Amino acid sequence: DGFERAWERARDVMGWYSREELEFLWNSLESLNQLLNVLEIGCYYGRSTSVIADACAMRGATLWVIDPFHHRGVDVPEAQVSVVRVLHQPGLTWHLIPRKSSEVQTRDIPETLDAIHIDGSHEPQDVEIDCQLALPKLRSGGIVAFHDWADYMPGVAIGATEYVKNF
């Protein structure tokens, strides 16, 4: 099973995603009839990236990853090393953009995205910036997934809702 192989690779990568969340993300990607370009904003050490990368490699899709590798005021170079290790796998085409999404231009990512995973800063204004960058490029029938859309992390829902209200 594809997810079981992906989970074997991902489970030892540092991160907060549970097995159940990653399986849901995997199944969401697998449900798409077209998977050419996937964007992930925020990856920490690459636990979710690992599963997304496996799905992309199986389908011949290109994965774009944006992360400044700066967490809670501290540069985390070992996180970037971990993510690059996760991305180096047979059959995967990938692009790593080591910047904040607010520093990324729309021309730096594909014109059309089939799937978007947003798990960067959870501050409302930053989530709104992530949405402004990525969501206009989501194709009809594509998917967007937000991590930590929950009561314990209200900034994610607030930022995404503000983007939709102002769209």
Side-chain angles (χ1 to χ4, degrees):
D1 173 59
F3 174 72
E4 291 304 322
R5 284 193 311 274
W7 172 245
E8 286 300 312
R9 282 181 14 95
R11 71 178 179 187
D12 294 327
V13 178
M14 191 181 307
W16 293 279
Y17 256 94
S18 69
R19 175 183 164 64
E20 292 75 22
E21 290 172 317
L22 289 171
E23 189 168 18
F24 181 82
L25 186 58
W26 173 273
N27 289 335
S28 297
L29 293 170
E30 285 295 297
S31 74
L32 292 171
N33 61 359
Q34 173 182 302
L35 193 65
L36 300 175
N37 290 301
V38 177
L39 174 65
E40 181 174 46
I41 299 175
C43 60
Y44 194 47
Y45 277 73
R47 182 174 248 195
S48 58
T49 310
S50 180
V51 169
I52 296 168
D54 280 1
C56 287
M58 283 182 58
R59 303 273 300 272
T62 300
L63 175 57
W64 303 75
V65 180
I66 299 170
D67 196 298
F69 300 102
H70 188 85
H71 186 70
R72 295 185 179 156
V74 178
D75 285 331
V76 190
E78 63 272 16
Q80 186 171 352
V81 170
S82 176
V83 169
V84 169
R85 188 176 306 121
V86 160
L87 291 170
H88 277 289
Q89 61 173 288
L92 180 65
T93 302
W94 55 274
H95 302 272
L96 180 60
I97 303 171
R99 297 189 303 248
K100 293 179 182 180
S101 57
S102 62
E103 299 168 343
V104 175
Q105 304 295 312
T106 57
R107 67 178 178 268
D108 295 332
I109 59 176
E111 284 300 312
T112 305
L113 297 167
D114 301 297
I116 300 165
H117 175 244
I118 297 178
D119 189 21
S121 166
H122 296 5
E123 295 298 322
Q125 66 275 13
D126 295 332
V127 174
E128 194 170 355
I129 288 168
D130 294 344
C131 291
Q132 290 167 353
L133 174 67
L135 294 185
K137 294 185 173 232
L138 185 65
R139 72 165 171 87
S140 177
I143 60 167
V144 61
F146 292 87
H147 192 235
D148 295 319
W149 186 301
D151 292 340
Y152 62 83
M153 202 68 70
V156 176
I158 292 168
T161 301
E162 283 302 308
Y163 168 78
V164 170
K165 282 196 303 191
N166 296 320
F167 184 66

